Amino acid sequence: MTWLEIDTWIVVIAILCAVSCSLLGNFLVLRKMSMMGDAISHAVLPGLAVAFILTETRASFTMFVGAAIVGLLTALFTQWVHSFGKVDGGAAMGVVFTSLFAIGLILIKAGADHVDLDANCVLYGSIELAPLDKIQILGWDLPRAAFVMGLILILNMVFVGVFFKELRISSFDPDLATTLGINAQLMHYLLMAMVAITTVAAFEAIGSILVIAMLIVPAAAAHLLTDRLLHMILASAVFAAISAGLGHLSAITLPRIIGFEDTNTAGMIATMSGVLFAFVVILAPRYGILSKALHRLALNLRILREDILGLLYRVDELKLVDRPAMTYRQLREALNTGPIQLQLALRRLRRSGRLKVTSRGYELEEPGRKRAQQIIRSHRLWETYLAEHFALPLDHIHAPAERVEHFIDQQMQDDLALETSTPTSDPHGKVIPPTTNS
Amino acid sequence: MGTAHGSPHIHVNNEMAGGFVGTASEAEGAIQEFLEIAFVPEFHTMLVVLSTLILGAAAGMIGTFLLLRKQSLMGDALSHATLPGIGIAFMVMVAFGGSGKNMPGLLIGAAVFGLVGAGSVLFITRNTRLKSDAALGIVLSVYFGLGVALLGIIQQMPTGSAAGLNSFIYGKPSTVIIEDLYLIAGVALAVTIVCTLLFKELALLCFDECFASAQGWPITRLDASMLALATAVLVIGLQAVGLILVIAMLIIPPAAARFWTEKLKPMMIGSAVIGALSGWFGAVISAMATSLPAGAVIVLMATTIFLFSMIFGSSRGILKQAMGQYRLRRKIGHQHLLRACYESLESRIESVADEVFLSKGSSVTFDSLLSKRSWSPKQLRRLIQRSTKSGDVTSHPSTENEIRLTSQGLREGARLVRNHRLWEIYLITHADIAPSHVDRDADQIEHVLDSDLIERLEQLLDTHGAAKSVPASPHELNGGAVS
Amino acid sequence: MAKIDSDKEDVPVQLNASSLAPAPDMSRRIATGDEHPVCPLSIHDMTVAYHRKPVLWDIDLDMPEGKLIGIVGPNGAGKSTLIKACLDLIPKASGLVSYYGKPYSKQRGLVGYVPQRESVDWDFPVSALDVVAMGRYGKIGWCRPVSKAHKKAAFDALDRVGLADYAKRQISQLSGGQQQRVFLARALAQEAKVYFMDEPFAAVDAATEKAIVQILHDLKSTGRTTLVVHHDLQTVREYFDWVVLLNMRIVAAGPVEEVFSQENLQKTYGGKLTLLDQAAQAMAGIKQ
């Protein structure tokens, strides 16, 4: 594989397109209108066709206007079919954009067949050829697509920057926005117009299908990565740029593995964004599947450690022998747990100085005692709380407390003590140990 | 038609001539041609027409349930997701030494990926915080992108161009051969059987998932079979309509049928008929003008029927709704006029008996009526005109400014005022609405009160004593100035 | 999670699994109404959680047969969740629910359900009679159409709620109260022995409220057990003979005259149970 100047330009154009789309996509995803992106990018076809038939050129201002109008009409028609015809929102969108797309196909065939606008180029674009079409800007030889998309990117950045507050509130709560004097309806149509303009600008280079991918996938991935809107927008832009770069790289490398030259860059960018999205779904720090599983595992181990401490404390409390200890076997049977978890928990406890091993088995060290005392205190306070407030018999309050004790922090413990007027013994008559924090 | 495709599918060497290529300039000729193709087509044209007709019917049927389950756009994701399936099937078949263009093989690949797409949507919505719209968009664009990338590779394969595969994207019904028709008919038959047998189960699922689940119906499996049927229909539609537009066949016919009926079974049948008609007409027209993309023509036929239905539909059409509203507004205007007349008179005359009212010959002036409500003189004049026609009021021929209730109008006015006040009293006593607000509220509801409800109001407010009399207004009447 | 029960009995120094196994003491179950050997609905130690956050904790209830039971509690107390968990509509984190001693999956035919009115799209193209006939689907079985006899049963149910005249009407053309009564009729058509009703009195007119109360009394007089999620404290004494006060846990349950006291209501509604919510959030890992 050889990386040529044209490859650089392809990647630059792809990144410009992808980032432009992803900026707007955040608001589509947050407003649960992702499919509107799909609808608009299909539906601009008749606008393009009409503008093309009128002006006979592909890159005209008329084309932008035509597409922006049809983009807005898509949103408007969908609204009409939904409210006047009482058709379900999704179906209304489906009716409108398939019809417009069909009209577009026919217009292109009937009116523009002899020239170089065909449905294929609208769908997948021709990014491989885009760098060849150059224009002179300030003495620079720039690919036209890069120039146009650069402008669109700036336009979108300005749009998002200027209307950041309005977009945020009308995405979060349109009704609230309206009461605050922000016209949510207007923001909606503005956003739709921006999506349409971006679609038109990008279609030639990357095709409408990649527009949809870049509108939705980066924003969706970013939504899994962060909870803050600003971070989400930045993350989606980075995600889009990486997809674009990786996409072109894989388009010219991957097919070689099975003995072919290369393949469609737009298609591969969409594919790579899907692959990256899959990684995010699995690996995202807070909402990823793996992190959730790890979190659960860590939680279970913590509960097990606390159960070990609690068990030893209770045995100690009985004062049957002077310094009680439990063997590994006894612990395993009492806690009814698997060997691997137990080993992990014990090792961690020993390393943190809460347990020690003697010839008789495991014994509590002073830090362990203190922690255990906290847990037992939480447990018995909770039992007291339950017994005081709910119609639960005494034999029904132990099990719930066993679960909750692991989640009661200092603050809640104090609240509980206050709520139950600081008892000294629990409903079973057991002593509630004092708090270890002075 | 079809001669120029050079596709290996066209075994039927029809000599239908280039005559259909949009050269029929005279309208008469075109109509004749249309009828000819529609009713007595040649063999291959008949194949095409039949296949789109059957496809339309099957799509309309299963689409009904998809629409009512609010899953219409799922079809969009499914159909886009079929593209990599087609590409992979092609490559696999070539790898095993086949031609790669074996239709059943390609369709199986498409169906498998359609189902994978549906599974991916479910996986994303269940395991992440993303909502279904984002999941649909992701599946749709990523799988389609993968398909495009695969087609890009296939184009370089020495065994054959991907030109044939392109017809899956935009549809090319003229490539249909008799075996394809059998397949389409088979899928349609399966759809019909399942939709008939599971009619009540699917209806329950779509209407009230919770209740269905509580009754023990396996909703996941019902959903899955619904989506599987939809996928099957999408797949057989790829060839004729193309994968971008085939979802229109699932969405538009049922949405159109909904305008004509309030019942599920007629809706399903209507949707099948609309689908079939779109397929039929669409195929005929595209046979006449082969340069037009057939899939788009078929979809536009469906859109035309949809628009017609949306406007003229007999049960939910816009005209029907508008007419209902217009009638209600007229009725309300009429009732407001009578009430205003009655209340004007009432404020002047103590007794409420008919004769007293009429014998006094009281008339109400136009200006005093005008001040009673926020109506313009023009509106009021029109109202008076209409009510004069219905015989409830008469206006002095000499002075148009004076309006008089007829005895019929008086009775009606008394009834209306009574209903209005009963409702007001109800609102004040039972709904804790302030007397100053009660008039407007009562205004909105009184026009739709039926006799049943009035009876209950009477019981509730215990007004038997004053049976049929008009109770006093619970609030001050505004604008009661009468000359 | 450890299954240790050491707070209950003396723990021998030689611990072993058998001595630590919890032994639920069935004789001391709360809220045992009648001493029926098998009660129509028995919930044992049921916990329900959404994303690890418990919304119902350790519910333990035996419902008496043939009673009208009101389930009362503030918003977010888990009233609807309780019903849905009993009907296997949402998964339980733990616990058992049995109807006449058997799990729900074996006793579906005995259980009728009236969901909240807002849970469905009333624009759906079916008539009132069609909706009521859905109550018979369980008895009709797979693939068979609704027979004359079942239609008759559905019509009778519709008649009982006073809507016989509206049988053919499309459901969107019914008033809110009438829609609620259609749902009630559908449950009646189920011919069940235990009924669950989720807020049937929510936003209905006086006539519908009366009709529903009448139906509830009919159900009671024919020995049916009915659980009603209810939000209006004023009418609890009037409508129900048994009441369950719920706020994530059962605060009290029993005959109205015993349980429906100012003190218990204070506990249920008094806002003193915020600690439960705090604990639930801590368990869900939500930062406070």
Side-chain angles (χ1 to χ4, degrees):
Chain A
M1 181 199 93
T2 43
W3 189 272
L4 307 169
E5 193 202 340
I6 188 170
D7 291 308
T8 313
W9 276 122
I10 288 173
V11 170
V12 167
I13 294 169
I15 288 177
L16 289 173
C17 291
V19 176
S20 308
C21 293
S22 69
L23 287 181
L24 302 178
N26 287 292
F27 301 101
L28 291 180
V29 168
L30 288 177
R31 301 185 66 170
K32 303 180 184 66
M33 295 195 327
S34 308
M35 291 305 275
M36 206 65 200
D38 170 46
I40 288 183
S41 52
H42 277 105
V44 292
L45 195 58
L48 291 176
V50 168
F52 187 82
I53 291 166
L54 288 178
T55 62
E56 294 272 317
T57 58
R58 256 167 63 151
S60 65
F61 184 65
T62 326
M63 211 122 164
F64 279 96
V65 176
I69 290 173
V70 179
L72 281 179
L73 285 182
T74 313
L76 202 64
F77 287 160
T78 303
Q79 187 58 39
W80 284 353
V81 172
H82 175 58
S83 53
F84 294 136
K86 294 185 190 156
V87 177
D88 162 60
M93 200 187 287
V95 170
V96 172
F97 89 78
T98 53
S99 302
L100 286 173
F101 189 76
I103 292 173
L105 278 183
I106 288 178
L107 282 177
I108 284 181
K109 273 283 175 191
D113 203 22
H114 53 290
V115 277
D116 60 347
L117 179 78
D118 66 5
N120 266 346
C121 95
V122 174
L123 270 187
Y124 345 117
S126 49
I127 196 166
E128 293 82 355
L129 305 176
L132 302 179
D133 177 12
K134 301 210 174 188
I135 50 169
Q136 284 249 322
I137 303 286
L138 304 172
W140 271 34
D141 240 2
L142 271 181
R144 201 173 44 80
F147 173 67
V148 172
M149 284 322 296
L151 282 185
I152 293 290
L153 177 60
I154 292 168
L155 186 66
N156 284 352
M157 275 159 57
V158 169
F159 173 74
V160 171
V162 169
F163 293 110
F164 184 76
K165 177 168 98 281
E166 286 82 0
L167 281 168
R168 180 167 60 185
I169 194 149
S170 55
S171 306
F172 173 66
D173 186 346
D175 292 336
L176 178 69
T178 310
T179 60
L180 291 177
I182 295 163
N183 191 336
Q185 200 70 9
L186 182 69
M187 287 317 296
H188 171 74
Y189 285 111
L190 261 180
L191 182 63
M192 292 304 126
M194 292 305 294
V195 170
I197 290 171
T198 309
T199 306
V200 183
F203 93 93
E204 195 185 347
I206 61 174
S208 68
I209 200 68
L210 185 52
V211 171
I212 305 169
M214 287 301 118
L215 278 172
I216 304 171
V217 184
H223 192 39
L224 297 179
L225 288 171
T226 170
D227 284 326
R228 295 197 42 197
L229 182 57
L230 188 61
H231 295 176
M232 179 175 161
I233 292 174
L234 295 176
S236 72
V238 172
F239 184 99
I242 296 176
S243 308
L246 272 183
H248 181 62
L249 193 65
S250 55
I252 57 174
T253 53
L254 283 187
R256 282 164 203 271
I257 299 170
I258 49 172
F260 293 96
E261 274 289 295
D262 53 10
T263 184
N264 184 299
T265 294
M268 274 323 278
I269 295 176
T271 310
M272 285 323 286
S273 74
V275 172
L276 289 179
F277 176 78
F279 277 117
V280 170
V281 166
I282 296 168
L283 299 173
R286 191 168 153 79
Y287 298 105
I289 292 173
L290 191 66
S291 102
K292 280 192 213 158
L294 283 178
H295 185 79
R296 207 170 307 134
L297 189 69
L299 181 69
N300 286 342
L301 279 177
R302 179 168 74 82
I303 289 175
L304 182 59
R305 286 198 303 273
E306 295 184 350
D307 281 343
I308 295 170
L309 295 179
L311 179 63
L312 285 167
Y313 184 91
R314 286 186 173 107
V315 174
D316 187 21
E317 211 177 27
L318 295 170
K319 300 282 177 224
L320 292 175
V321 289
D322 189 21
R323 292 174 55 80
M326 289 177 79
T327 64
Y328 177 76
R329 251 194 71 161
Q330 283 173 329
L331 280 172
R332 239 196 101 180
E333 282 178 359
L335 296 165
N336 192 17
T337 176
I340 300 171
Q341 294 101 295
L342 188 57
Q343 288 285 8
L344 281 172
L346 286 172
R347 189 179 311 161
R348 176 83 182 270
L349 283 171
R350 268 168 56 196
R351 220 178 278 163
S352 62
R354 290 184 167 161
L355 274 191
K356 64 178 174 195
V357 199
T358 62
S359 54
R360 295 178 301 147
Y362 291 94
E363 271 181 51
L364 280 177
E365 289 269 46
E366 197 43 37
R369 252 196 91 72
K370 272 195 173 163
R371 179 75 197 110
Q373 194 175 328
Q374 283 305 300
I375 298 160
I376 299 294
R377 178 174 163 78
S378 297
H379 179 104
R380 292 180 184 164
L381 279 174
W382 189 256
E383 285 189 332
T384 316
Y385 172 71
L386 288 186
E388 271 184 22
H389 289 276
F390 300 97
L392 283 171
L394 288 186
D395 62 322
H396 269 74
I397 59 176
H398 174 77
E402 189 67 39
R403 231 174 314 142
V404 177
E405 64 182 23
H406 306 289
F407 299 96
I408 293 178
D409 58 10
Q410 191 58 46
Q411 177 62 43
M412 264 189 79
Q413 211 178 67
D414 295 346
D415 290 350
L416 269 175
L418 208 66
E419 185 75 28
T420 51
S421 37
T422 328
T424 49
S425 63
D426 75 0
H428 303 288
K430 304 264 172 184
V431 175
I432 297 180
T435 172
T436 48
N437 288 38
S438 47
Chain B
M1 69 170 292
T3 45
H5 301 303
S7 149
H9 294 117
I10 299 175
H11 302 310
V12 190
N13 187 11
N14 55 72
E15 296 299 330
M16 300 205 18
F20 295 128
V21 190
T23 50
S25 50
E26 289 167 37
E28 215 172 288
I31 292 171
Q32 200 184 349
E33 198 181 337
F34 181 89
L35 294 176
E36 209 168 278
I37 301 174
F39 294 103
V40 280
E42 309 231 348
F43 178 67
H44 182 245
T45 318
M46 190 174 75
L47 270 186
V48 174
V49 171
L50 262 183
S51 62
T52 53
L53 187 150
I54 295 173
L55 166 74
M61 217 178 286
I62 191 69
T64 305
F65 294 107
L66 227 49
L67 176 77
L68 293 174
R69 188 100 174 94
K70 305 201 187 325
Q71 290 268 10
S72 294
L73 289 179
M74 187 65 149
D76 199 16
L78 292 187
S79 66
H80 280 80
T82 56
L83 191 60
I86 293 167
I88 289 176
F90 184 91
M91 291 164 93
V92 167
M93 286 190 289
V94 170
F96 283 96
S99 81
K101 287 201 175 165
N102 176 280
M103 188 57 68
L106 293 177
L107 293 189
I108 287 171
V112 168
F113 262 77
L115 293 177
V116 169
S120 310
V121 171
L122 285 184
F123 182 85
I124 293 173
T125 46
R126 288 203 182 154
N127 291 293
T128 72
R129 66 208 294 227
L130 297 170
K131 302 292 180 295
S132 70
D133 66 309
L136 290 174
I138 291 166
V139 167
L140 174 152
S141 54
V142 169
Y143 282 80
F144 192 78
L146 179 63
V148 170
L150 288 173
L151 289 192
I153 292 178
I154 288 170
Q155 252 156 6
Q156 301 163 20
M157 289 171 94
T159 37
S161 75
L165 298 187
N166 243 350
S167 72
F168 282 113
I169 297 176
Y170 305 107
K172 202 166 248 179
S174 56
T175 58
V176 169
I177 55 170
I178 187 85
E179 284 79 10
D180 299 338
L181 180 61
Y182 291 152
L183 184 68
I184 290 173
V187 169
L189 190 67
V191 169
T192 314
I193 290 173
V194 174
C195 285
T196 314
L197 282 180
L198 294 184
F199 180 78
K200 73 172 195 304
E201 286 82 359
L202 290 174
L204 180 59
L205 172 76
C206 297
F207 174 61
D208 192 348
E209 180 190 338
C210 248
F211 188 77
S213 172
Q215 265 198 344
W217 300 102
I219 47 172
T220 315
R221 260 178 282 166
L222 281 173
D223 258 337
S225 39
M226 190 172 80
L227 285 180
L229 283 183
T231 310
V233 169
L234 289 173
V235 167
I236 58 166
L238 291 179
Q239 204 183 355
V241 191
L243 62 82
I244 297 173
L245 287 176
V246 69
I247 67 139
M249 300 307 288
L250 284 178
I251 300 178
I252 300 180
R258 185 72 183 87
F259 291 112
W260 298 97
T261 175
E262 295 286 2
K263 293 188 144 205
L264 185 51
K265 206 168 271 175
M267 178 181 164
M268 187 175 93
I269 295 166
S271 166
V273 170
I274 290 171
L277 285 178
S278 321
W280 184 18
F281 292 160
V284 171
I285 290 175
S286 57
M288 287 166 64
T290 43
S291 67
L292 294 183
V297 173
I298 294 172
V299 169
L300 279 189
M301 285 321 294
T303 308
T304 312
I305 299 178
F306 174 85
L307 284 178
F308 180 82
S309 306
M310 181 162 143
I311 296 167
F312 299 104
S314 63
S315 89
R316 288 156 70 95
I318 291 176
L319 273 187
K320 169 94 180 170
Q321 285 177 38
M323 257 184 18
Q325 266 168 16
Y326 174 71
R327 277 206 204 99
L328 184 66
R329 216 174 308 132
R330 249 174 85 159
K331 184 176 151 195
I332 289 175
H334 177 68
Q335 295 188 346
H336 279 164
L337 178 69
L338 292 188
R339 236 180 65 210
C341 289
Y342 186 93
E343 281 176 357
S344 282
L345 291 173
E346 189 190 43
S347 62
R348 268 187 298 167
I349 298 155
E350 310 263 304
S351 167
V352 286
D354 269 20
E355 313 81 59
V356 186
F357 260 18
L358 291 175
S359 67
K360 294 231 171 167
S362 326
S363 53
V364 186
T365 63
F366 186 84
D367 295 333
S368 71
L369 282 179
L370 199 59
S371 66
K372 279 203 90 95
R373 298 195 81 85
S374 58
W375 41 30
S376 68
K378 204 172 145 200
Q379 278 174 325
L380 182 57
R381 218 163 278 133
R382 199 177 305 144
L383 280 175
I384 292 169
Q385 243 171 35
R386 254 192 238 121
S387 304
T388 312
K389 258 185 221 153
S390 67
D392 286 321
V393 298
T394 54
S395 46
H396 264 261
S398 55
T399 54
E400 270 214 352
N401 205 13
E402 300 218 327
I403 298 113
R404 195 191 274 255
L405 282 172
T406 64
S407 65
Q408 173 197 335
L410 185 66
R411 268 195 307 279
E412 180 67 6
R415 188 183 71 80
L416 291 169
V417 170
R418 181 163 182 278
N419 287 357
H420 178 82
R421 291 188 185 158
L422 278 176
W423 188 251
E424 283 182 337
I425 296 169
Y426 169 74
L427 287 181
I428 291 170
T429 48
H430 291 266
D432 287 334
I433 292 180
S436 53
H437 285 76
V438 76
D439 189 36
R440 293 290 134 196
D441 269 5
D443 251 13
Q444 285 158 20
I445 299 191
E446 62 179 21
H447 308 289
V448 289
L449 291 180
D450 54 10
S451 56
D452 189 35
L453 199 59
I454 290 293
E455 213 167 282
R456 284 215 205 94
L457 274 179
E458 281 166 2
Q459 280 169 12
L460 195 67
L461 301 172
D462 197 22
T463 53
H464 328 283
K468 303 296 168 200
S469 73
V470 179
S473 175
H475 60 90
E476 239 174 81
L477 293 170
N478 66 326
V482 180
S483 61
Chain C
M1 216 152 292
K3 287 262 194 286
I4 180 158
D5 225 1
S6 52
D7 271 4
K8 205 165 62 182
E9 288 126 339
D10 287 344
V11 183
V13 178
Q14 279 303 315
L15 290 152
N16 59 48
S18 61
S19 70
L20 286 162
D25 184 355
M26 302 295 281
S27 64
R28 281 199 288 163
R29 301 280 296 281
I30 50 152
T32 309
D34 296 5
E35 288 308 316
H36 257 275
V38 263
C39 56
L41 170 62
S42 163
I43 306 172
H44 182 62
D45 270 347
M46 181 174 81
T47 295
V48 181
Y50 284 126
H51 305 292
R52 295 217 313 272
K53 180 183 175 185
V55 282
L56 278 178
W57 305 55
D58 310 293
I59 303 297
D60 235 312
L61 267 179
D62 281 339
M63 300 294 184
E65 177 132 42
K67 292 275 196 282
L68 281 176
I69 302 158
I71 301 173
V72 179
N75 286 336
K79 293 170 295 194
S80 295
T81 309
L82 177 66
I83 287 191
K84 286 186 178 155
C86 286
L87 292 168
D88 287 354
L89 291 177
I90 46 177
K92 297 184 272 287
S94 67
L96 289 172
V97 175
S98 62
Y99 299 82
Y100 295 102
K102 287 183 193 155
Y104 180 59
S105 54
K106 297 231 164 71
Q107 301 282 51
R108 289 183 203 277
L110 297 181
V111 183
Y113 175 39
V114 181
Q116 282 185 18
R117 183 150 52 88
E118 299 81 44
S119 65
V120 302
D121 174 13
W122 287 94
D123 226 11
F124 203 80
V126 285
S127 68
L129 187 65
D130 293 336
V131 173
V132 178
M134 287 172 184
R136 310 289 301 176
Y137 283 8
K139 293 191 166 56
I140 298 168
W142 281 99
C143 300
R144 261 177 262 155
V146 185
S147 69
K148 276 247 165 66
H150 286 297
K151 271 201 183 126
K152 175 84 174 57
F155 187 82
D156 289 345
L158 205 52
D159 197 21
R160 277 177 70 188
V161 299
L163 289 179
D165 295 341
Y166 296 83
K168 291 271 168 232
R169 201 173 284 194
Q170 205 267 333
I171 51 173
S172 67
Q173 290 160 9
L174 300 172
S175 74
Q178 288 166 338
Q179 288 172 350
Q180 187 65 60
R181 279 189 272 167
V182 167
F183 259 13
L184 201 65
R186 181 174 71 172
L188 293 179
Q190 286 185 282
E191 289 176 355
K193 295 188 79 173
V194 181
Y195 281 99
F196 289 97
M197 302 188 185
D198 203 344
E199 301 260 14
F201 294 108
V204 297
D205 53 282
T208 299
E209 183 147 352
K210 261 186 198 153
I212 296 174
V213 170
Q214 184 56 47
I215 295 291
L216 289 179
H217 283 290
D218 287 354
L219 288 173
K220 186 190 166 188
S221 61
T222 47
R224 261 78 167 206
T225 310
T226 312
L227 286 93
V228 182
V229 170
H230 196 59
H231 62 281
D232 181 14
L233 292 179
Q234 313 279 324
T235 46
V236 168
R237 273 177 201 286
E238 189 186 335
Y239 291 168
F240 302 108
D241 20 58
W242 235 70
V243 69
V244 176
L245 292 171
L246 191 75
N247 191 350
M248 297 174 77
R249 296 174 163 280
I250 289 178
V251 177
V256 171
E257 55 273 17
E258 286 174 24
V259 164
F260 199 66
S261 64
Q262 198 55 43
E263 192 201 345
N264 280 337
L265 282 175
Q266 188 63 37
K267 273 191 192 169
T268 317
Y269 285 87
K272 290 195 111 184
L273 303 180
T274 47
L275 279 170
L276 273 186
D277 204 42
Q278 273 187 40
Q281 294 203 352
M283 289 173 85
I286 299 167
K287 285 182 200 122
Q288 284 166 33

